[in-house]
Amino acid sequence: MNQNHIIEIENIVKAFPVEGSEPFLALKGVSAYIPRGEFTVLKGRSGSGKTTLINMLGALDKPSEGKVFFDGQEITSLPESAREKMRRTKMGFVFQSVSLIPMLNAYENVEFALRLAGVKDNRTERVKECLRLVGLEKRMNHMPQELSGGEQQRVAIARAIVHKPRILFADEPTAELDSHSAKVVAGLFRDLVEKEGITILMTTHDSSLMNAGSHLIELADGEVVK
Ligand SMILES: Nc1ncnc2c1ncn2[C@@H]1O[C@H](COP(=O)(O)OP(=O)(O)OP(=O)(O)O)[C@@H](O)[C@H]1O
Ligand SMILES: [Mg+2]
């Protein structure tokens, strides 16, 4: 495996069973890599297989065939307990619909992720630092419902990076945002790559965000076209 690649995948096939018919191939033998310390955009139309692929890379699902190497280690054959620990400590996730805990304020939502990752030292400082990175330190004590959609998504990003994951997976994080907030999030991702040295993989079907990253993978009908 190339040391500059945090992830490499080889011939990933994902077949979903379909009742009374042949299985549906959502991924048809995908090989690709994610460069370390860069912002990669995974682009493709609705139904092209982006979520299916990001779920394999983030150890949320297993391929029917093929291998996924993360930091030099093949992860599809690891037991679920090891995959779960890997997700909690080395990976961060942001999804299309923001899922902050409604009873916790912005600060507490971010701190909760740090507790889950088992971090004990300097929690307060790190939580504040991350809220500052996303430009929301002044909203720290706001409850989720007292924040705009874009602000909530930024809290979710702070929460996803607070434990210093190796990689942040973001599946359509801008889909529910207006075009201005979507650009703010894309700019924030570029900042995080620079300031935190994190690797980011973001999926989008928004062509205006296609050039937001420094590496582009394009999927069409379960195959890499670029
Ligand atoms: N659990 C499943 N069972 C059967 N088919 C599935 C399942 N999950 C996804 N698919 C199919 O696999 C294909 C790829 O789905 P996927 O969710 O990866 O697309 P996507 O590129 O993320 O689309 P979008 O931009 O709409 O989120 C779709 O045709 C979908 O219907
Ligand atoms: Mg999707």
Side-chain angles (χ1 to χ4, degrees):
M1 185 171 170
N2 184 324
Q3 276 306 303
N4 298 323
H5 300 166
I6 187 162
I7 291 177
E8 285 183 9
I9 54 174
E10 281 172 18
N11 290 311
I12 296 291
V13 174
K14 183 64 180 181
F16 288 114
V18 179
E19 223 178 281
S21 138
E22 296 282 296
F24 175 77
L25 293 182
L27 298 172
K28 303 171 181 165
V30 173
S31 297
Y33 66 89
I34 309 296
R36 200 186 290 280
E38 287 191 40
F39 177 14
T40 295
V41 173
L42 173 59
K43 181 190 176 261
R45 289 197 181 161
S46 179
S48 58
K50 302 181 300 292
T51 296
T52 306
L53 182 59
I54 208 169
N55 287 347
M56 308 291 141
L57 304 185
L60 292 163
D61 197 1
K62 285 189 180 183
S64 312
E65 284 172 41
K67 294 193 161 109
V68 178
F69 295 90
F70 177 77
D71 249 349
Q73 187 181 25
E74 208 291 310
I75 62 166
T76 61
S77 53
L78 292 176
E80 189 46 40
S81 57
R83 287 163 59 85
E84 196 270 332
K85 187 173 178 208
M86 181 175 277
R87 287 196 296 272
R88 208 164 13 92
T89 59
K90 295 187 177 174
M91 299 170 172
F93 296 89
V94 175
F95 301 103
Q96 177 172 346
S97 27
V98 186
S99 53
L100 298 177
I101 301 170
M103 297 85 74
L104 302 181
N105 68 27
Y107 176 91
E108 292 161 342
N109 263 284
V110 177
E111 197 205 24
F112 189 63
L114 212 44
R115 286 176 192 267
L116 282 184
V119 176
K120 295 198 175 65
D121 298 335
N122 301 322
R123 277 210 294 254
T124 311
E125 253 165 65
R126 177 64 183 159
V127 172
K128 286 185 180 165
E129 181 182 27
C130 289
L131 285 167
R132 203 175 307 126
L133 278 168
V134 300
L136 288 176
E137 59 199 314
K138 295 208 174 93
R139 298 279 199 284
M140 206 159 74
N141 297 318
H142 284 225
M143 301 304 280
Q145 71 271 19
E146 297 166 349
L147 297 166
S148 73
E151 288 167 348
Q152 288 182 38
Q153 191 58 295
R154 276 146 64 199
V155 174
I157 292 166
R159 179 180 63 178
I161 59 153
V162 72
H163 58 304
K164 301 196 182 202
R166 307 276 171 83
I167 185 164
L168 173 66
F169 295 103
D171 191 8
E172 307 257 9
T174 62
E176 290 179 0
L177 305 180
D178 62 39
S179 62
H180 172 73
S181 304
K183 289 207 172 70
V184 169
V185 166
L188 178 59
F189 282 173
R190 279 193 296 269
D191 276 1
L192 290 175
V193 165
E194 211 172 283
K195 291 182 189 157
E196 291 265 296
I198 193 172
T199 301
I200 297 181
L201 176 61
M202 176 184 85
T203 71
T204 185
H205 53 227
D206 181 347
S207 50
S208 74
L209 295 179
M210 211 172 112
N211 299 317
S214 54
H215 182 69
L216 179 72
I217 301 173
E218 188 170 348
L219 274 184
D221 291 330
E223 290 179 288
V224 174
V225 291
K226 219 190 240 161

